[in-house]
Amino acid sequence: MSTAAVQFKSDAARLAADLRHRALIHTALSKYEVKRDEMKARFQDWQGARTLAAARKQEAVNHLDQYLEQFVRGLEARGTKVHWAGNAQRARDIIVDIVKARNARLIVKSKAMTAEEIHLNEALEHAGFEVVETDLGEFIIQLRGEAPYHIVFPAMHLLRGEIRQTFAEKLHDAPSDNPEELTMVARRVLRQKYMQADVGITGANFAVAETGMVSVTENEGNARLTAALPRTMITLLGIEKVVPRLADLALFLPMLATVGAGQLISGYNTMYGGPRQPGEADGPEEFHVVLLDNNRTALLADAEQREALHCIRCGACLNVCPIYRNVGGHTYNTTYPGPIGGVITPHLRGLQEWKHLSYASSLCGACAEACPVKIALHHHLLRNRRNSAAARPSFWQKLAFKAFAPVANHRSLWKLVTKGGRLGQRLHPLIKATPLDPARAWTRTRDLPPIARQSFKEWWQTRL
Amino acid sequence: MSDPATSAPGQSGGETTAARQAIFARIREALAVAPSAGHGVGALATSVVEVLPAVGATFAEQVALFSRNAQDLRAEFKQVAGFPELVQELQQLAGEAGWHRLATHAGTLTDAIAPALSLPVLRVDGGVDAAELERCDVGLTECDALVAQTGSVLVTSRSAGGRALSVLPPHHVVLARADQLVAGLPDAFALLEAKYAAGYPSMISFITGPSRTGDIERILVLGAHGPKRLTVLMVGGEN
Amino acid sequence: MTVTLFIPCFVDLCYPQVGISMVRILEKLGHKVVCPEAPACCGQPAFNTGYWHESRAVAVKVLKQLQDAEVVAIASGSCGAMIKVFYPELFAGTEHEALARSLAPRCYEFSDLLVSKLGVTDLGARFPHKVTFHDGCHSLRELHIHDAPRRLLAKVRDLELVEMRETVCCGFGGTFSAKFPAISTAMGEVKISLAEQTQAEYIVSNDSSCLMHIQGLMDRQHKPTKTIHLAEILAPS
């Protein structure tokens, strides 16, 4: 097992047994579930919407070169500077260079999973810049030095008391643990940052090819301010975020909000196409768009699993995944948790090192059912398993499955197994759940079913 | 298709071009193989309009829908018959909310309204001084449309005085005409395409309700960063 | 009709009463039932673990056993999904692909067979207990079986069906239960808790592998709720 796999198994075991954590996640998601189902029901045809959304994304990703070119043309026509980052290091360097060239000191940032992916904040801080997260959830975890717990709700795992504690320690301003008061503290602190910041960095939910615009979805208005006040604006996004037409957002924005947050539409959905244009009252002098590959083209090249790039990062699959709900977001220890993380992380970060995320699933399929763009996530987890076993088979597992074949295929051997099994069961209590027990993965917490005194095939024989 | 080797305006030169070419080369190579069939996309018998939430057929139904949606999301919505009523409504609002300073932009509605409120007015058209704007209690803007389906206000950096005006002051007041109400999101995008065919503004924003967050224990708090209050006033149409 | 039974390995060894119930039900309905004498494993364990070559080694036996069957009744939803949904992919590009594709439409999970193929919902059964139904994920999401078991249970005299508040995986997941036992156990506990909230005496399912996991967990934790396969409730006594 890779180091990441060992860590995952250990963290998963600890958290799966933590009943307080289990209840916390359940509570955190239960309100969302009610609203999500309410909003889905408002659609005249939710399943039809999924089919349309899947088709749009299929078109976009399978003509990615054409749509990216169109996207960039539109942006550049308005004076946007477009940069191309083959990998995370290049993306970090590009952004650090832009910030340096603009003589910046303070950077404000709105939520961007792609920025987490490339560890942007570390690079900027290392280069001597102050970076402030402005999304409330991200702001809180930045103060705590934690990774986001969920791709939409980064502070989902925290209680108000913990947040109050953090504000008291780091901001010396924590009047109470009332959520409204705590939010107002953050508002006061961040307001100053927006006004003073030299650079605003955002992510993007969609890249509209037709009109050359990035689309940013949020509820707080922090991205709006990040994109309004600083002199320089940078948007970082993965190349796969493309949608063909502006009007496609009429479908994607409400679907994203519905399954992402249980809202019909998010508070602010904003399209940015360039820096401040002639005649406009304000806006950044410079607008930079950084397009990130970082192994997305590798996933694109896998014709069988290419559709994983259709993902709109809504988090719906996380919310329904029984594994995610029991082990929580931090256990995955990588940018993208949950089912989508299980599918794409082996492609983005290495198959053998991250295949355990594809194995840590009962393949229940709730994710695929929830996915607004109909990615068959559970089937892709199976294919990752196949690919990893083919590339690097486990000697013992391969042997076990090979040995099973004759037993499963021949009556006489199966009879032996049946009789031997009965005998073994009589002796099993002696070693049950001990280190000697070959079935202890099961028997540590569960009893084994008794082998029947007469198997079905034995009974069938008596009738013939 | 444009020639990737050409340095278009905005590109910073050789390294960017090489990186761009490398990425496009990988994309084209990847796409040389068609995707595997059978990912359940299915026949496209329906259109976006048919799958999105229903919007009602008449103006009255759509106003009612906008009103319900906006209010569900904690925005205030009021219909007034004409300009005198609009002024009255705003004066009441100014008194109740305790406005001392108002920020706005040039526009047919705003030009007619702002002077009638007897408040110091900051105009953003020549440029926005963030510190000055921060001292304003209210940002008064026009809009491109009101969207009934979602209870949203559609603004752009051209129709609503730039970017900051509609998000920095703690109270955002939107002045709309009845004929600006559109049924659904598809109509809103069609409107944008028609209105800005010659060239889009640098920012387009769908605003739905005041600023909000649920990041602390999923408890709804308004005014996280953007306005704590959003008031939409619609002039004309049936009352 | 001649119905060929597919009795998976664990049903053969541990839950023969499920197979026996299926036989009695089908014979009461007037159908001829045949069952290959040889053992059978659908190959899902190896398939799910990524060893598709080894999976094919056992699955091909199943293909051959069932190739001439008119109709196949499968005792568990997860084996049903393996044969109907995954065999075409498992055998894609091999000499057996055509056979796999031709077999799929002839296979039915048991409740699906009764309701969809044979058009039967009332088997004259009686089961005077309060029960809740657990949908095996493969049945539910791969085979799209949801109503059939409920329509069958609705005709069982004196039976009261109470649904669980949430539909969620029990945590078995085949080899997942052994590879990630802690997560599997946690998921099983969530399922048991949902069942207990219904106050049902029995958890009924169309998948014995799920029940094996749920019952095993309940036995260890000394919980009183019992598990039973749908076929056992429907079978003539």
Side-chain angles (χ1 to χ4, degrees), chain C residues 15 203 205 207-216 227-229:
Chain C
Y15 303 102
I203 300 171
S205 182
D207 203 315
S208 300
S209 52
C210 301
L211 294 178
M212 178 168 68
H213 164 73
I214 297 169
Q215 187 68 65
T227 59
I228 188 168
H229 190 281

Side-chain angles (χ1 to χ4, degrees), chain A residues 113-265:
Chain A
M113 292 314 295
T114 320
E116 298 288 335
E117 185 186 328
I118 67 167
H119 305 293
L120 179 61
N121 288 9
E122 283 163 41
L124 288 168
E125 283 161 0
H126 190 71
F129 303 103
E130 185 190 348
V131 187
V132 180
E133 292 286 351
T134 61
D135 171 273
L136 179 60
E138 292 279 348
F139 176 68
I140 292 167
I141 62 168
Q142 184 182 39
L143 290 175
R144 292 170 66 91
E146 286 179 26
Y149 196 84
H150 186 286
I151 67 181
V152 174
F153 313 124
M156 189 174 101
H157 58 306
L158 297 173
L159 295 172
R160 62 186 76 184
E162 294 169 291
I163 297 167
R164 192 204 68 76
Q165 172 88 352
T166 302
F167 279 18
E169 278 167 30
K170 306 284 181 171
L171 304 175
H172 312 293
D173 187 354
S176 73
D177 64 1
N178 174 280
E180 168 133 19
E181 287 192 34
L182 290 168
T183 306
M184 291 306 113
V185 170
R187 182 192 168 100
R188 274 198 302 277
V189 169
L190 289 166
R191 213 138 185 90
Q192 293 314 305
K193 302 292 182 184
Y194 294 120
M195 312 280 286
Q196 293 159 14
D198 308 293
V199 176
I201 300 180
T202 78
N205 300 83
F206 301 102
V208 181
E210 181 190 27
T211 55
M213 295 168 180
V214 297
S215 181
V216 181
T217 290
E218 49 155 341
N219 274 306
E220 295 176 18
N222 60 304
R224 281 283 312 263
L225 288 167
T226 301
L229 298 179
R231 292 163 48 237
T232 305
M233 179 181 170
I234 305 173
T235 295
L236 171 68
L237 71 160
I239 53 175
E240 86 286 14
K241 293 279 172 73
V242 172
V243 292
R245 285 160 288 279
L246 185 63
D248 292 334
L249 295 180
L251 181 65
F252 283 106
L253 296 180
M255 291 188 80
L256 172 63
T258 293
V259 290
Q263 300 172 291
L264 184 57
I265 195 168

Side-chain angles (χ1 to χ4, degrees), chain A residues 321-381:
Chain A
C321 177
I323 283 80
Y324 181 89
R325 294 172 69 110
N326 278 295
V327 307
H330 286 161
T331 302
Y332 294 78
N333 205 26
T334 185
T335 311
Y336 305 104
I340 188 63
V343 172
I344 67 175
T345 309
H347 291 269
L348 298 184
R349 301 188 67 185
L351 180 59
Q352 295 306 329
E353 208 194 332
W354 292 95
K355 65 187 178 191
H356 60 281
L357 294 186
S358 291
Y359 277 97
S361 165
S362 62
L363 304 176
C364 77
C367 50
E369 196 177 62
C371 178
V373 291
K374 297 175 87 162
I375 302 170
L377 291 159
H378 56 330
H379 292 174
H380 294 306
L381 293 175

Side-chain angles (χ1 to χ4, degrees), chain A residues 423-446:
Chain A
L423 180 65
Q425 276 219 308
R426 280 208 285 278
L427 301 171
H428 186 249
L430 296 172
I431 52 163
K432 183 165 94 168
T434 68
L436 289 173
D437 181 0
R440 71 183 169 284
W442 183 277
T443 55
R444 207 181 295 139
T445 56
R446 294 158 283 208

